[in-house]
Amino acid sequence: MNKNKKGNGMREVHVSEFKKNEVELLIKLFNDYETIVLVDLTALPSPQLQVMRSKLKKDNVLIRVTKKRLIRKALDGSKKKGLENFTPFLDEVMPALIFSKQNSFKLSKFLRKNKSKVPAKPGQIAPRDLVINAGPTPFAPGPMIGELGSLGIKAAVEQGKIAIKKDTVIVKKDAVISAKVADLLVKLGMKPMEIGLNLVVA
């Protein structure tokens, strides 16, 4: 029993030491780098994050993923002006910090350019009006016409294939994407979502 208590105590000391060192490192990075960016990792798969790490490293840009509480402590402990603007955004994101000597506009452009388009998943929010454009589809006549019709999409058979007769908004911007709509978008090869490092504040 005593050994367990001792072991628990040692773990607590170790964790506290790690947190202290992490906060000190963040404060040092705040002081050493001109450009500091808070990004949101929400919905970003781990492999994509690793790719971004590699690309940023080539330009001597550092990305640091750590806990919100430690970021707050580091922000409070740093004397660098402007960092107080980061605090209100921390509750709304899964945070990571990017440290760079580059101009913030150049870094922002890089982050936008390196986003990947991916299919929509049920329950996600549409980033814009999602439109099914008029024109031919790869689908042969069959149940697909009924599926399109149930989503308010007018279709007919033309030259042995289903054709959509009219541009149709199937999900409005900021509306939730249903499973039925997500399935149709995949069948049509549409990738309306983007994943990447979302810049929150710099």
Side-chain angles (χ1 to χ4, degrees):
M1 184 69 70
N2 289 336
K3 287 183 178 179
N4 288 339
K5 285 184 178 178
K6 184 178 179 182
N8 289 338
M10 288 176 68
R11 281 197 294 273
E12 287 172 9
V13 170
H14 174 72
V15 170
S16 297
E17 193 67 26
F18 167 77
K19 290 178 180 177
K20 180 183 175 184
N21 291 339
E22 180 69 13
V23 170
E24 288 177 353
L25 174 61
L26 290 175
I27 291 173
K28 183 177 186 306
L29 292 172
F30 287 148
N31 293 332
D32 288 350
Y33 284 85
E34 293 178 18
T35 299
I36 302 153
V37 176
L38 175 67
V39 294
D40 184 11
L41 302 181
T42 302
L44 181 68
S46 182
Q48 183 79 5
L49 175 59
Q50 297 311 316
V51 169
M52 293 298 289
R53 274 187 191 275
S54 298
K55 288 183 177 181
L56 289 166
K57 192 174 181 180
K58 290 177 183 176
D59 291 331
N60 295 317
V61 178
L62 175 67
I63 179 167
R64 189 84 186 167
V65 181
T66 192
K67 293 184 177 180
K68 293 180 183 181
R69 193 154 54 90
L70 301 183
I71 294 175
R72 281 197 179 89
K73 282 184 175 293
L75 290 171
D76 291 340
S78 175
K79 296 178 180 179
K80 194 161 192 172
K81 291 182 180 179
L83 290 179
E84 64 277 3
N85 296 325
F86 283 41
T87 305
F89 295 97
L90 284 173
D91 286 332
E92 304 169 15
V93 301
M94 184 183 295
L97 293 165
I98 295 179
F99 300 91
S100 175
K101 306 280 186 180
Q102 292 181 10
N103 179 287
S104 59
F105 294 103
K106 184 178 178 182
L107 186 56
S108 173
K109 184 178 179 181
F110 171 87
L111 295 178
R112 285 197 306 271
K113 185 179 177 182
N114 281 275
K115 288 192 174 185
S116 302
K117 292 189 177 297
V118 294
K121 295 179 180 178
Q124 288 185 313
I125 304 299
R128 59 184 180 282
D129 285 355
L130 301 186
V131 180
I132 305 296
N133 292 317
T137 75
F139 307 125
M144 193 59 167
I145 288 185
E147 188 176 327
L148 292 168
S150 69
L151 292 170
I153 302 169
K154 293 181 179 179
V157 177
E158 295 180 0
Q159 299 179 346
K161 296 286 186 181
I162 295 174
I164 293 167
K165 305 302 291 180
K166 181 182 177 183
D167 289 355
T168 307
V169 177
I170 55 168
V171 186
K172 287 279 191 183
K173 181 182 177 182
D174 296 330
V176 176
I177 298 171
S178 69
K180 204 171 184 179
V181 168
D183 181 58
L184 176 63
L185 293 174
V186 169
K187 288 176 180 175
L188 290 170
M190 295 176 63
K191 297 180 178 180
M193 312 304 289
E194 287 187 335
I195 57 170
L197 295 172
N198 296 314
L199 190 150
V200 179
V201 62

